Amino acid sequence: MSLNPKKLEGKVAVVTGASRGIGRDIALLFASEGAKLVITARNEELLASLADEIKKAGHETPLCVALDVKDSEKVDEMVDKTLDKFGRVDILVNNAGITRDGLMLRMSDEDWDDVMDTNLKGAFICMRAVAKPMMRQRAGRIINMASVIGLIGNAGQANYAASKAGIIALTKSAAKELGSRNILINAIAPGFIDTEMTRALGDDIKNTILKSIPVGIFGKPIDVAKTALFLASDESNFITGQVITVDGGMVM
Ligand code: NAP
């Protein structure tokens, strides 16, 4: 027996929103732990450059599928391609997400719909697409990216908070539906993680947020990726329907 067996050796993992930020680090970490990857996002070039990086690091070349998670036909096709290439799908990380912040009174229907359709409906579409093959396999892991904002709400983020609270309810419902088929479904609720999504915020807002984090620093994408690895690996075999907060103590 190897002293350091890879945690995802031979597992087939689909990661959405893999082109940058948290999803990118999840893909890199999963590849280094032996997973065969399907990486998706809308930006084809960023996916290709990530696939190249993973290949150059000596890991199996990922399958890149450029898609919008709102497009159920494209998502179904992506799962078909995954099964054609790898024969199974063991892990789905529903990470793709956007913000369209603004006060509720001034929020447009379009900004509401964009966020709900991408963050919540997109995650549902991807879960539905992998559920059948996972049921046939009688095994699967689904990790949904929620947010602490889905737990506590936030002024200026009614759409985002509702989508992330919805992700938590979706996670628990699906965990109850699919638990008997050995499909474990959990959510991660990151706090403030330094990515393009949060870099756009002004310094005043960032400083206020920093004061609310007991450990006194912002998180890094790899902090979330390591939690995703735990939830995707055998180390979490008896955990389902849970929300793990990765936020330096911001919400407790
Ligand atoms: P990010 O850097 O903006 O990356 C978002 C990813 O989602 C990109 O790869 C983007 O790729 C993809 N994406 C967006 N819309 C998509 C769509 N319609 N179809 C397919 N892919 C789409 O954001 P991040 O900070 O890494 O966030 C990742 C996840 O963590 C999100 O769900 C976010 O809500 C959650 N989260 C982040 C934080 C934080 O502090 N950063 C905190 C809590 C939760 P393309 O643009 O190429 O499509």
Side-chain angles (χ1 to χ4, degrees):
M1 194 177 84
S2 157
L3 284 178
N4 277 318
K6 291 189 170 178
K7 291 183 177 145
L8 302 179
E9 192 65 60
K11 301 276 186 199
V12 178
V14 174
V15 181
T16 74
S19 59
R20 55 176 194 267
I22 293 169
R24 192 172 193 282
D25 271 27
I26 291 174
L28 287 165
L29 183 63
F30 280 22
S32 75
E33 288 292 343
K36 299 170 186 175
L37 283 174
V38 181
I39 51 176
T40 81
R42 292 165 302 181
N43 188 314
E44 219 166 342
E45 290 81 50
L46 288 178
L47 289 178
S49 104
L50 174 60
D52 207 40
E53 194 177 328
I54 288 172
K55 189 179 161 195
K56 281 189 180 137
H59 309 305
E60 177 142 358
T61 308
L63 174 65
C64 298
V65 185
L67 56 72
D68 189 319
V69 287
K70 300 193 289 293
D71 185 337
S72 56
E73 258 176 52
K74 283 271 155 48
V75 169
D76 288 345
E77 273 173 35
M78 177 272 291
V79 173
D80 288 345
K81 284 182 192 162
T82 302
L83 296 173
D84 284 349
K85 184 168 167 75
F86 296 120
R88 52 189 294 117
V89 54
D90 299 293
I91 301 157
L92 165 68
V93 184
N94 262 323
N95 166 77
I98 57 166
T99 50
R100 295 281 181 272
D101 296 350
L103 291 174
M104 201 180 66
L105 284 180
R106 282 191 236 128
M107 186 173 286
S108 66
D109 288 3
E110 195 188 359
D111 283 350
W112 175 269
D113 289 343
D114 268 0
V115 169
M116 293 302 282
D117 288 352
T118 305
N119 297 5
L120 182 54
K121 191 174 177 191
F124 157 70
I125 286 171
C126 294
M127 283 171 80
R128 186 179 57 188
V130 299
K132 259 195 203 150
M134 284 183 176
M135 281 167 76
R136 277 198 298 271
Q137 292 163 197
R138 292 206 157 255
R141 298 290 174 98
I142 299 175
I143 297 144
N144 292 326
M145 211 52 73
S147 166
V148 290
I149 301 305
L151 296 168
I152 59 172
N154 196 21
Q157 290 198 302
N159 49 0
Y160 185 76
S163 74
K164 295 301 187 180
I167 281 279
I168 292 170
L170 174 65
T171 299
K172 293 180 180 182
S173 303
K176 286 182 178 180
E177 276 188 32
L178 299 175
S180 65
R181 308 299 180 101
N182 190 29
I183 301 169
L184 306 182
I185 307 172
N186 293 287
I188 300 174
F192 189 106
I193 309 297
D194 183 22
T195 68
E196 267 179 45
M197 184 176 272
T198 45
R199 251 166 248 156
L201 296 171
D203 284 344
D204 283 359
I205 298 179
K206 282 190 197 167
N207 286 333
T208 309
I209 296 171
L210 198 54
K211 283 187 198 136
S212 71
I213 304 175
V215 301
I217 50 170
F218 294 136
K220 297 182 291 300
I222 191 67
D223 298 322
V224 181
K226 284 177 180 170
T227 310
L229 173 62
F230 167 70
L231 290 172
S233 74
D234 285 347
E235 286 173 21
S236 59
N237 277 348
F238 201 47
I239 300 178
T240 196
Q242 303 304 306
V243 185
I244 300 189
T245 301
V246 180
D247 69 346
M250 188 179 174
V251 173
M252 60 172 89

